[in-house]
Every structure is written in structure tokens, then in C-alpha cells.
Amino acid sequence: MVSEFLRDPRPPAQAVRVTEIDDIPLREWTPHSQVRLTRTAVDLPAAPCIDIHNHLGRWLTDGDWMIHDVEALVAVMDARHVEAIVNLDGMWGDELDANIARYDLRHPGRFHTFCQVEWSRLSEPGGADALLRQIERSAQQGARGVKVWKDLGLHVRDESGAIVRPDDPRVVAVLTRAGELGLPVLIHTADPIAFFAPLDPDNERLDELRGAKDWWFGDRTRYATFDELLDAHAALVRACPGTDFIGAHMGCAAEDLDRVERLLEDAPNYHVDIAGRMAELGRQPRRFAQLVARHPDRVLFGTDIYPVTDEQYRLHYRFLESADESFEYAPGEPIPPQGRWAVSAAALPQELLPGLYRDNARRLLGV
Ligand SMILES: [Zn+2]
């Protein structure tokens, strides 16, 4: 047997030589956790859920529908007890009609399409009035809410060439009108704090910014600071007390839940969704659970995963309901895409789950 071993044509073990270790660039370092833990399967949510933050339209693609097979998506929703999905891609005009026809009308109650506001028209004379007419028209067409994207405060300019902040009086007028029309406003302001910080070795999202350099807003000659933008976000919410707001991505400040909580306490018309922030919330799961417990009627379920999958819904249920520790928030990605860390679950108490999953969203959507 020994001689047979010696005749084995395979090379010796694939050990990396020490000299090569010194040459491995950081981008090729993909450490695999050696923590051995049992995985809790949470295949269904404690209550049927509404995904308040998703993208089903043609706006984030090359012009094709995000979802090719709507029936297959409905099958995933049925299997995972997803009562409804909010589609934030309705835009305005004919595109809004097309989204409503494809989703809301084909599967009544399962999809709710939000419109957007064409803020670029603020660069034209009479643009502010045109936007009031536009949002009224979108409500007539059947929009169920309004999505405001982060370009407001970062890129949108008015006639004078100045960047329009979220608390600009013209924005306040349009979103006050949204409230009068019964439309909740889901708003995304700024971006992760690290995207506003210097691009240096201390930046906690360097991996991600290296792959998407236009997500970096740290140039102070061009962009406001994170805190200035979030202050404007809060001022907008306070200036429109008759409009229900949903601060996207955990109030756009998942790294600063004290800030989020201050606005929740200040403004009864303010709510937040958890979409796209498992990485952030999963590194402070006890603080997150504390916020939900203090504001059980103000936090909404959402994923911002598009196209969403069966696996992602189960991962979200596991994150909210189990007490699992140290797991991947983006399974299958060689490098965690939103921060090089693992997450731990929030273990939310059962009594908090129906509100977060469904009831708070139902109230805001009027269903
Ligand atoms: Zn989104």
C-alpha cells in the first residue's frame, strides 16, 4: 500500500507557500468563517408580510421589466406568505400606467405601485407648479404612494443651478399635496455614512466603493455632508405633518439609530423600513430590537432585493425572528458586499412581529 501511495500521480497538498501569502492582495482575501453553529430555518413569517420596498419596474434595468415572469413571483409570494409587494418604480405618465397594468390590475391586492416625482423639472420655469399637477395626475391614475429617491439633495438642480435639498419649500409643497391626496411618501435621502467619509484605509465600505466610485459623496465641494442631508430629511418630515413618511433603509441612518429614534419621537407622521439594511442592523441586533420595541407601530418590513428570491425572504425571516449569530447576510457572495462582517439575528419578540410584517404597512397603504 505504501508503494501505491508513492506512485500516486497527484502533486502534494495544495499548500500555499509562505512567500505567496505575502503577495495575496486584500481583494482576493475571502476568509471563510470557522464558527460552527446550527442554522435556524424560518421558512414562514410569524404573520403574512408586506414587502414595502421593492423594485419591479423598468427604471433600474436597461429598459426591460425587472420581473419577466410575474406569475412565478406570485408563486414565491404565496409560498413565503408575502401578502403584497410595493413596487416603487411607477415613475409618472405612461410608465405609471404600464406598471399598474402589469402588476396592480393583474393581481389585485398583491401589488401596490408608487409613483415618483420628476424633480428635474424644477430646472424649468414653472416647474414647481408642473410637479403639483403631476402628482395629482399620478394619484388619479392609481398610484398608491410616492417614492422619493436620493438624487434629491445630491443631484437635482433648480433653475439657478443650485442643488435642491429635501426640505426645499417647493419639495414641501409637492409632498404636502401628496398627503392631501392620501399618498404616503417613501423617501431615501443620502446613503451610508461611509459613502460621505474620506476614501482612505479607514473607510468601512472601501470594498464596495472601489466597485462603484460614483456612490462616493465625500467631495465637500460638490456634496452636502451626511448630517446636513439627514437634518434636511427631518425638517421635511416636520414641515409636512399631514403626510405619512417612510424613511427608507431604516430612516436612511441605520448606523445611527439614536438619530432615527429622535425623529420617530418628534414626528408622529414618520416611519421607517428595514429594506436593504440587514448588514447594518445585524451588527447591532439588540439596539435594533430595542428601537422596534419602543416604536412597534412605526417600523415596516421591506427587502429592496430585486429581483427578490424565495431564499432572500427566508433569510429575512431568520434575521428578524431567530437568535442565530454570526451568519452571512449575502449568501454566496465571496466578499460581503455591504461591509466585511457577518450578522446576528434580532430575535424580535412574537408580539412585535405582526405590526412590523404587515399591520403598519396596511395602515399606511389604506388596505
Ligand atoms: Zn430601493
Side-chain angles (χ1 to χ4, degrees), residues 4-129:
E4 201 173 302
F5 174 74
L6 289 173
R7 280 201 311 274
D8 191 321
R10 286 174 301 178
Q14 301 277 327
V16 177
R17 287 187 299 277
V18 172
T19 50
E20 288 174 353
I21 289 176
D22 288 339
D23 296 335
I24 296 175
L26 186 60
R27 70 172 72 85
E28 285 172 21
W29 186 50
T30 55
H32 283 57
S33 173
Q34 299 292 356
V35 176
R36 298 175 184 181
L37 288 167
T38 310
R39 174 192 187 285
T40 305
V42 185
D43 291 334
L44 294 173
C49 66
I50 296 177
D51 184 348
I52 198 79
H53 188 141
N54 214 301
H55 298 279
L56 310 179
R58 295 188 279 202
W59 171 64
L60 295 171
T61 65
D62 294 336
D64 205 359
W65 289 103
M66 182 70 72
I67 301 296
H68 290 137
D69 187 344
V70 180
E71 312 306 318
L73 175 60
V74 171
V76 169
M77 294 164 69
D78 289 343
R80 294 299 135 226
H81 292 193
V82 181
E83 179 176 296
I85 291 179
V86 168
N87 168 28
L88 298 174
D89 299 342
M91 311 313 281
W92 49 82
D94 292 346
E95 188 64 14
L96 178 58
D97 284 335
N99 273 270
I100 290 173
R102 183 176 173 84
Y103 296 106
D104 302 36
L105 297 180
R106 216 154 109 188
H107 294 278
R110 306 303 300 278
F111 298 104
H112 305 291
T113 291
F114 280 28
C115 63
Q116 295 199 23
V117 180
E118 197 179 3
W119 299 113
S120 61
R121 294 185 70 174
L122 290 175
S123 65
E124 303 164 4
D129 280 333

Side-chain angles (χ1 to χ4, degrees), residues 53-55 60 88 147 149 188 249 275 304 306:
H53 188 141
N54 214 301
H55 298 279
L60 295 171
L88 298 174
K147 165 74 188 300
W149 194 48
H188 175 178
H249 312 307
D304 198 29
Y306 47 87

Side-chain angles (χ1 to χ4, degrees), residues 168-353:
D168 184 283
R170 294 161 291 191
V171 177
V172 170
V174 172
L175 298 183
T176 294
R177 191 81 190 99
E180 291 163 359
L181 294 163
L183 302 177
V185 175
L186 193 150
I187 178 167
H188 175 178
T189 303
D191 244 348
I193 294 176
F195 293 10
F196 291 80
L199 263 189
D200 63 21
D202 291 341
N203 193 305
E204 68 173 353
R205 302 284 284 270
L206 208 61
D207 285 325
E208 191 176 1
L209 289 168
R210 193 175 52 211
K213 299 214 171 54
D214 55 337
W215 290 359
W216 182 66
F217 305 112
D219 181 351
R220 291 283 85 80
T221 65
R222 292 176 64 194
Y223 300 110
T225 66
F226 174 86
D227 284 302
E228 285 165 347
L229 288 169
L230 267 288
D231 286 347
H233 175 96
L236 166 67
V237 170
R238 284 194 229 97
C240 307
T243 303
D244 280 319
F245 284 88
I246 302 160
H249 312 307
M250 204 63 199
C252 317
E255 309 93 321
D256 187 356
L257 295 183
D258 291 350
R259 174 188 266 285
V260 175
E261 209 152 44
R262 282 197 298 276
L263 186 54
L264 287 169
E265 277 154 18
D266 236 40
N269 57 325
Y270 193 59
H271 312 75
V272 297
D273 75 38
I274 64 165
R277 289 298 177 271
M278 191 188 297
E280 287 299 338
L281 301 176
R283 63 171 172 168
Q284 45 182 328
R286 290 181 286 274
R287 178 68 182 96
F288 166 57
Q290 181 185 52
L291 184 146
V292 179
R294 286 178 182 161
H295 308 280
D297 50 354
R298 311 281 283 282
V299 184
L300 283 72
F301 176 76
T303 62
D304 198 29
I305 306 280
Y306 47 87
V308 73
T309 61
D310 188 281
E311 181 193 21
Q312 276 291 345
Y313 278 126
R314 284 184 280 119
L315 182 66
H316 278 75
Y317 306 154
R318 180 188 182 201
F319 169 66
L320 291 169
E321 298 188 38
S322 84
D324 286 3
E325 295 180 299
S326 194
F327 57 92
E328 293 181 343
Y329 62 82
E333 297 279 355
I335 295 173
Q338 296 180 303
R340 257 183 198 260
W341 54 78
V343 294
S344 294
L348 294 177
Q350 283 291 311
E351 67 268 20
L352 297 178
L353 295 170

